[in-house]
Amino acid sequence: MSIQATHEYLSVNKVQLDKANPRIKKWIEMYGDNPTPEQIHLALGAGGDDPQSSGGTTYISLRESIRTNGGIIQPIIVNRTQNGELTVIEGNTRLAIYIDFIDKEAAGNWETIPAIVYDDLDEEAMDAIRLQSHLVGPRAWDPYSKAKYLHFLHSHEHMPFDRLVDYCGGRKSELENYIAAYSDMEKFYRPILDSDSDFDTTRFSGFVELQRPAVKNAILAHGYSYANFAHWIDDRLIDPLNTVRKIPQILSDAAAKQTFLSEGAREALKLLDRAPHTQSLDCASLFELCTATSSKISKVTFIEAERLKNDPDSEITQALLDLSDELSSLIKHIDPKVE
Amino acid sequence: MSASNAHEVLVREILRFVEAKYAPTSSISVDCSLCTGYPPPPKIAGHIPDVYAKNLTMESIVIGEAKTCSDLESPRTKEQLTAFINYLEKHQNSVLVLATRWSSINSAKSIVRSIFRHNKIKNVSTHYLDSYQ
């Protein structure tokens, strides 16, 4: 698209939300003509059951990021019709947050909003903008790059954790783990490589898993160091990386430990004691197990799910995470189009 | 780009490299439906490489394997690369050419390094081709 646009600061009360946006329209039809900013955000798919939004920003983290920053960084995109009406094509939530800040007299200047303004776009051109914004969008950084930048902000720019959380969203403990994982990877993994060109950033999630106290304690308690852990990662003894979670069990079992150190975690796990019912389950076919598991999972109550969420180290949570990893890997193989 | 297209692009890159470097003295075979005119490579311990070149005078072997990012980390890939590397170890001046997307090149190196260590490989050279597509 090569239509000319201008960068302007628009008066917030002169810009209309895009009530023709199919998802906002659907919301208005269901709940009325004056959705709140949070409802607009939900209507646009964030925080709901829309798979496209699963990696998206939550409304609260976006709002707090805008508040902390004193404004938005990415201008909204607006269409100006021939009679001068201004309608948002992309950035409804951000505009709604500005309106909300004005209503609630939040500290800061929320009267004007930066915008890229197009003149008299036709529907096709507006659709092209919506598609590029929502279906293609900017690519998220890989986890290592995120952690590197967070580490820089925290350690070199001395940005406190609370402020990082305001900017990025998420939980403080997650950011702390990311930064600690980055530090550990630089401290223990980089030095064992022959050259920087061997540095495999995809190993980062192994160092994130290392931040679990149970894993760190088990490594030290069995007479190993984090440098040993880095070697295990480099030697691909810890492969896939989610097997880091199983290190405490592996190191506690003599045979599993020996197998782990020679063959890797995948083989070692086969030796670990299984639950007593496993023998009968082993006789079940994959089809039977899949249908039984999905039926069982579909019956998990909200309370139960909350309990699992609040106990990430529980046996069931760990088993579910393992199942999810194995399933994703197999599904990716069966159908590479699945993300 | 679909996974199969991405794989074909990588196989062609290997072929271009092998032809430029080894063609005059080697017989080349390729496992790719779009690269016509080449015989299929031999099966090595149950696995067929994407490109196989045999030097006619020195008996050295070049095996080229293309891996998409999603394929690279699978246990099957490790098994396949281990088979190829062990095979190359038995031939003098042999080379493994591994092609993958640029963002996965260090993962590829790390996988090969671990196979080398685990199997005590000494006589195989490696060459990595990184695709930007």
Side-chain angles (χ1 to χ4, degrees), chain B residues 112-126:
Chain B
V112 170
R113 228 170 30 236
S114 74
I115 296 172
F116 271 45
R117 272 188 213 132
H118 196 72
N119 294 276
K120 300 187 173 54
I121 301 295
K122 301 260 183 254
N123 302 314
V124 181
S125 304
T126 49

Side-chain angles (χ1 to χ4, degrees), chain A residues 58-236:
Chain A
T58 65
Y59 171 76
I60 291 170
S61 63
L62 177 64
R63 187 188 67 196
E64 293 314 306
S65 169
I66 292 173
R67 193 201 299 273
T68 305
N69 194 50
I72 54 174
I73 297 163
Q74 292 269 23
I76 61 170
I77 301 175
V78 170
N79 182 41
R80 179 162 35 214
T81 60
Q82 279 181 339
N83 60 15
E85 274 181 15
L86 296 161
T87 305
V88 178
I89 308 168
E90 163 57 25
N92 285 289
T93 310
R94 283 169 285 164
L95 176 67
I97 288 170
Y98 268 59
I99 294 169
D100 192 39
F101 282 161
I102 293 170
D103 287 348
K104 291 186 175 143
E105 297 178 358
N109 176 17
W110 311 106
E111 301 295 332
T112 58
I113 188 163
I116 304 287
V117 184
Y118 289 91
D119 282 307
D120 207 22
L121 287 179
D122 58 23
E123 270 305 316
E124 194 182 339
M126 286 195 276
D127 284 341
I129 291 171
R130 287 189 193 110
L131 284 171
Q132 199 181 36
S133 306
H134 292 289
L135 300 189
V136 184
R139 291 191 65 183
W141 288 1
D142 65 277
Y144 175 81
S145 303
K146 275 185 205 165
K148 188 181 177 75
Y149 189 55
L150 288 170
H151 180 268
F152 169 78
L153 290 176
H154 184 63
S155 305
H156 296 271
E157 302 287 307
H158 306 294
M159 189 180 283
F161 273 114
D162 291 342
R163 200 165 167 79
L164 283 175
V165 172
D166 285 344
Y167 276 122
C168 311
R171 281 179 301 184
K172 188 179 169 190
S173 61
E174 276 172 32
L175 295 184
E176 284 173 338
N177 278 350
Y178 254 54
I179 292 172
Y182 173 83
S183 296
D184 281 350
M185 196 172 183
E186 291 296 321
K187 191 172 173 187
F188 302 111
Y189 176 71
R190 193 180 286 282
I192 65 172
L193 302 171
D194 290 338
S195 84
D196 282 347
S197 69
D198 289 338
F199 193 91
D200 182 3
T201 55
T202 65
R203 302 299 91 192
F204 177 69
S205 65
F207 287 87
V208 175
E209 296 284 356
L210 172 68
Q211 304 314 311
R212 292 168 185 272
V215 175
K216 282 201 156 177
N217 290 341
I219 290 171
L220 299 179
H222 288 87
Y224 296 102
S225 65
Y226 303 141
N228 290 124
F229 176 84
H231 276 287
W232 298 337
I233 289 275
D234 186 42
D235 286 341
R236 296 242 165 191

Side-chain angles (χ1 to χ4, degrees), chain A residues 36 61 127 159 208 218 226 260 300 306 326 330 339:
Chain A
T36 65
S61 63
D127 284 341
M159 189 180 283
V208 175
Y226 303 141
F260 165 63
V300 170
E306 283 297 296
E326 290 296 334
L330 183 64
E339 284 298 317

Side-chain angles (χ1 to χ4, degrees), chain B:
Chain B
M1 192 186 298
S2 74
S4 61
N5 284 349
H7 184 261
E8 271 165 19
V9 168
L10 294 170
V11 174
R12 283 174 193 233
E13 284 199 24
I14 297 174
L15 185 58
R16 207 173 300 135
F17 172 80
V18 171
E19 278 187 327
K21 200 158 180 193
Y22 305 99
T25 54
S26 302
S27 67
I28 299 173
S29 45
V30 184
D31 182 29
C32 172
S33 57
L34 296 180
C35 308
T36 51
Y38 295 92
K43 205 178 240 190
I44 295 166
H47 304 274
I48 299 173
D50 291 315
V51 176
Y52 180 92
K54 183 172 184 177
N55 187 297
L56 300 171
T57 50
M58 294 167 66
E59 290 290 307
S60 63
I61 306 286
V62 177
I63 287 179
E65 189 58 28
K67 288 290 167 204
T68 58
C69 302
S70 57
D71 220 10
L72 195 61
E73 295 286 340
S74 78
R76 203 186 78 87
T77 293
K78 196 170 179 182
E79 191 186 310
Q80 192 185 30
L81 291 176
T82 304
F84 295 157
I85 289 167
N86 280 327
Y87 175 83
L88 291 170
E89 174 76 353
K90 293 174 190 147
H91 296 80
Q92 289 289 310
N93 305 313
S94 293
V95 184
L96 174 75
V97 180
L98 193 54
T100 189
R101 198 165 184 274
W102 69 272
S103 53
S104 295
I105 205 77
N106 284 358
S107 293
K109 286 181 184 177
S110 142
I111 291 167
V112 170
R113 228 170 30 236
S114 74
I115 296 172
F116 271 45
R117 272 188 213 132
H118 196 72
N119 294 276
K120 300 187 173 54
I121 301 295
K122 301 260 183 254
N123 302 314
V124 181
S125 304
T126 49
H127 190 88
Y128 297 93
L129 297 172
D130 43 359
S131 163
Y132 291 89
Q133 297 199 50

Side-chain angles (χ1 to χ4, degrees), chain A residues 291-303:
Chain A
T291 46
T293 307
S294 62
S295 154
K296 202 93 176 167
I297 289 174
S298 70
K299 288 176 190 144
V300 170
T301 62
F302 177 76
I303 294 168

